[in-house]
Amino acid sequence: MTELLQSRLMPLSPAERLAAFRGAVAGRMVFTTSLGLEDQILTHWIATQNLDIEIATLDTGRLFSETYTVWAETEERYGIRIKAMIPERPALEALVITQGPNGFYASIEARKACCHIRKIEPLNRLLSNASGWIAGLRADQSQARGDTALLSQDTARGLLKLNPLIDWSRDQALDFAQKHAVPLNTLHARGFASIGCAPCTRALAPGEPERAGRWWWESEAAASKECGLHVGPDGHLVRIASPVRVAS
């Protein structure tokens, strides 16, 4: 059935995919936004089509001030509220006691521990009773994301995941955002292609790949860097679709 749904969604535009996905999948549906370029476009479509999709963001406590600004601008523009998911206080306090405020620079393991407490655990709470999850991944963001599916089953969380913009380019996304006056983070105009936490994100140098500005101090290849939000139990991006509960 999932294969049939994917075959229905594939020829549609991203906006149509969102509406069709919402109509096909029963239960609570969540869109997680980083308030970056792709996610702002998805927010635009969800809001302007009045889709019954919850919009939420992971407020790690280390975001750029520019991200909070575009968050407020987005709520005002579309007349919506974006739900904030924050880290659990005891776990965060224990992390800072153990690592210090910037201990994530020490190793990949320390950084991933920070990502887990600030991002993955709040995401797990958010999606705990959801049937559908929408994300803003694009295949051309990195080599690792090149074969990410439009539609896949997140077996760990027991839900179906849609990446409506998977086959769009960055130029397509920028063009759409500019034509439709979608609120954008001002950091994009200053060379930040992928925007996460402030201590872990920098602007790109000329010719660098799109995600090179994330965790740039790590020796691991930029193409394979992920915080863990979109990674399955095997440590890889989820690519394989399998059955899901679909509305009649």
Side-chain angles (χ1 to χ4, degrees), residues 36-38 41 138 140-141 165 167-177 187-189 191-195 204 210:
L37 169 63
E38 296 81 10
I41 293 172
R138 297 189 348 265
D140 69 349
Q141 286 173 325
L165 289 170
D167 51 0
W168 266 32
S169 68
R170 184 172 182 83
D171 286 343
Q172 281 178 286
L174 281 169
D175 183 64
F176 180 92
L187 291 173
H188 286 312
F192 289 76
S194 176
I195 303 170
L204 298 180
E210 195 165 325

Side-chain angles (χ1 to χ4, degrees), residues 76-142:
E76 182 177 359
R77 163 73 187 279
Y78 298 109
I80 61 174
R81 275 282 180 258
I82 298 172
K83 181 177 182 178
M85 294 299 296
I86 62 176
E88 292 281 10
R89 177 178 170 181
L92 184 57
E93 288 179 347
L95 177 76
V96 175
I97 289 171
T98 301
Q99 289 190 354
N102 290 329
F104 43 81
Y105 290 126
S107 68
I108 292 177
E109 291 72 22
R111 190 267 291 174
K112 288 185 176 180
C114 185
C115 287
H116 182 85
I117 288 171
R118 294 183 185 272
K119 301 174 76 173
I120 297 172
E121 191 280 329
L123 176 70
N124 289 340
R125 280 189 280 121
L126 175 67
L127 298 178
S128 62
N129 62 348
S131 299
W133 175 22
I134 297 163
L137 274 64
R138 297 189 348 265
D140 69 349
Q141 286 173 325
S142 70

Side-chain angles (χ1 to χ4, degrees), residues 46-234:
I46 291 169
T48 56
Q49 294 184 98
N50 196 30
L51 299 177
D52 180 22
I53 298 172
E54 183 178 329
I55 303 175
T57 194
L58 306 177
D59 185 358
T60 65
R62 302 299 298 266
L63 302 180
F64 287 94
S65 62
E66 291 87 348
T67 301
Y68 291 106
T69 297
V70 76
W71 180 347
E73 291 173 349
T74 303
E75 291 188 335
E76 182 177 359
R77 163 73 187 279
Y78 298 109
I80 61 174
R81 275 282 180 258
I82 298 172
K83 181 177 182 178
M85 294 299 296
I86 62 176
E88 292 281 10
R89 177 178 170 181
L92 184 57
E93 288 179 347
L95 177 76
V96 175
I97 289 171
T98 301
Q99 289 190 354
N102 290 329
F104 43 81
Y105 290 126
S107 68
I108 292 177
E109 291 72 22
R111 190 267 291 174
K112 288 185 176 180
C114 185
C115 287
H116 182 85
I117 288 171
R118 294 183 185 272
K119 301 174 76 173
I120 297 172
E121 191 280 329
L123 176 70
N124 289 340
R125 280 189 280 121
L126 175 67
L127 298 178
S128 62
N129 62 348
S131 299
W133 175 22
I134 297 163
L137 274 64
R138 297 189 348 265
D140 69 349
Q141 286 173 325
S142 70
Q143 182 179 344
R145 295 184 176 186
D147 59 352
T148 302
L150 168 67
L151 190 67
S152 63
Q153 178 73 30
D154 186 325
T155 55
R157 299 184 178 97
L159 51 75
L160 192 64
K161 181 180 179 182
L162 178 73
N163 297 301
L165 289 170
I166 196 65
D167 51 0
W168 266 32
S169 68
R170 184 172 182 83
D171 286 343
Q172 281 178 286
L174 281 169
D175 183 64
F176 180 92
Q178 291 165 357
K179 286 182 177 178
H180 295 270
V182 175
L184 293 181
N185 194 320
T186 57
L187 291 173
H188 286 312
R190 290 156 50 188
F192 289 76
S194 176
I195 303 170
C197 292
C200 302
T201 312
R202 64 160 172 78
L204 298 180
E208 283 189 316
E210 195 165 325
R211 289 183 62 81
R214 305 295 293 275
W215 313 295
W216 70 93
W217 66 89
E218 295 178 0
S219 58
E220 183 181 347
S224 61
K225 290 180 184 177
E226 296 286 343
C227 64
L229 293 179
H230 304 288
V231 172
D234 61 355

